Amino acid sequence: MKKGIFTLTIVAFLFAFTSCETQEEKVTLNFSGDIMVDLGDTDADVLAFVTASDGSAVTVSGVDYNKAGEQMATFTAGNTTENKEVKVKAEKLAGRYTIAYYTADGSLMTQGDGWKIKVVEGDAYNQIKIPSTIETGDKTILTDIESLIVTFNGSKEPTIEDYEGGFLFMSTPPTAEWEFSEIEYGLDESGKYAIKGFRMDGYKAGYNDFYYTVKLTKIK
């Protein structure tokens, strides 16, 4: 009986030892700071920021490189999976544009040449600024603000902060509260990243609600 117990003990010990020997070592992912890439980049650009502790290959998923702003990516190496934010910069949307404003019925208000603006990078990596004054300096479209700040939010819709003030093409009412929506951006016909347009809705007590649409065409 004692011999049987001893044999079972040896078998159990060997099984436990073998299990420890064959248990896969935990892989650690090491990131070199914040992951910040450009519009149009690829997984390879993101993976330049990460290595695996055992030298194994790392894969990444969940990033749309045509969307500026913060996105949550999933990194995998061996038996390890980790989520981490990837920041896609909006700076490729900056540049010179022609800008056109339309009434609700589609009538063009910015007629003639010269309606050009220079869109610049914003204060944050995921922002751009659309100036109110055109390049020639003789026309200010949104009369009470220097520029509209567009914030890009990854897979969520971009936003423009509400504005209260005047509009060059509107005298009655002289001012209104403005909200912005339907902000479009992406690759244009020439293959450049560009902001393409948005809608602005006006509200003023005593008046029916009204709106205008804005279209932008990138020059360079």
Side-chain angles (χ1 to χ4, degrees):
M1 182 66 179
K2 289 183 178 180
K3 183 177 180 181
I5 293 173
F6 178 75
T7 302
L8 288 172
T9 302
I10 292 296
V11 170
F13 174 78
L14 290 173
F15 178 78
F17 180 78
T18 303
S19 297
C20 291
E21 283 285 298
T22 59
Q23 185 176 2
E24 190 176 0
E25 183 180 352
K26 182 72 172 177
V27 176
T28 301
L29 294 175
N30 302 305
F31 296 92
S32 57
D34 289 343
I35 302 174
M36 192 170 293
V37 296
D38 290 310
L39 283 165
D41 276 356
T42 66
D43 288 350
D45 298 292
V46 169
L47 292 172
F49 289 83
V50 57
T51 57
S53 58
D54 66 347
S56 61
V58 183
T59 61
V60 62
S61 61
V63 182
D64 184 344
Y65 298 99
N66 291 319
K67 299 291 185 183
E70 186 175 284
Q71 302 180 48
M72 186 63 69
T74 300
F75 295 85
T76 302
N79 57 7
T80 297
T81 297
E82 186 172 338
N83 294 328
K84 187 174 176 63
E85 298 86 358
V86 170
K87 298 177 179 179
V88 181
K89 295 182 286 185
E91 63 181 25
K92 282 190 175 181
L93 298 170
R96 293 182 69 235
Y97 289 79
T98 57
I99 189 166
Y101 280 77
Y102 295 84
T103 61
D105 64 6
S107 299
L108 177 64
M109 294 182 291
T110 47
Q111 296 186 9
D113 297 329
W115 296 93
K116 295 180 175 63
I117 59 171
K118 186 176 182 180
V119 174
V120 299
E121 297 175 36
D123 296 331
Y125 79 94
N126 61 332
Q127 293 179 335
I128 57 172
K129 295 180 180 179
I130 301 175
S132 295
T133 302
I134 64 175
E135 277 188 341
T136 54
D138 60 338
K139 297 182 181 70
T140 298
I141 300 170
L142 301 177
T143 57
D144 296 293
I145 193 172
E146 184 176 331
S147 59
L148 295 176
I149 299 175
V150 188
T151 301
F152 299 91
N153 305 298
S155 59
K156 299 179 182 178
E157 293 298 316
T159 56
I160 298 175
E161 188 173 344
D162 295 350
Y163 157 66
E164 184 173 0
F167 178 47
L168 175 64
F169 303 102
M170 186 182 74
S171 57
T172 305
T175 63
E177 295 180 8
W178 301 95
E179 295 180 359
F180 302 88
S181 61
E182 300 178 14
I183 303 164
E184 297 182 17
Y185 73 103
L187 289 170
D188 63 13
E189 293 179 354
S190 65
K192 300 173 184 175
Y193 283 97
I195 183 164
K196 300 178 179 181
F198 54 89
R199 170 173 164 154
M200 49 187 288
D201 286 79
Y203 305 95
K204 186 73 172 182
Y207 293 85
N208 293 328
D209 296 343
F210 43 91
Y211 74 90
Y212 301 91
T213 56
V214 183
K215 293 184 179 180
L216 296 104
T217 304
K218 198 168 193 178
I219 303 170
K220 66 177 183 179

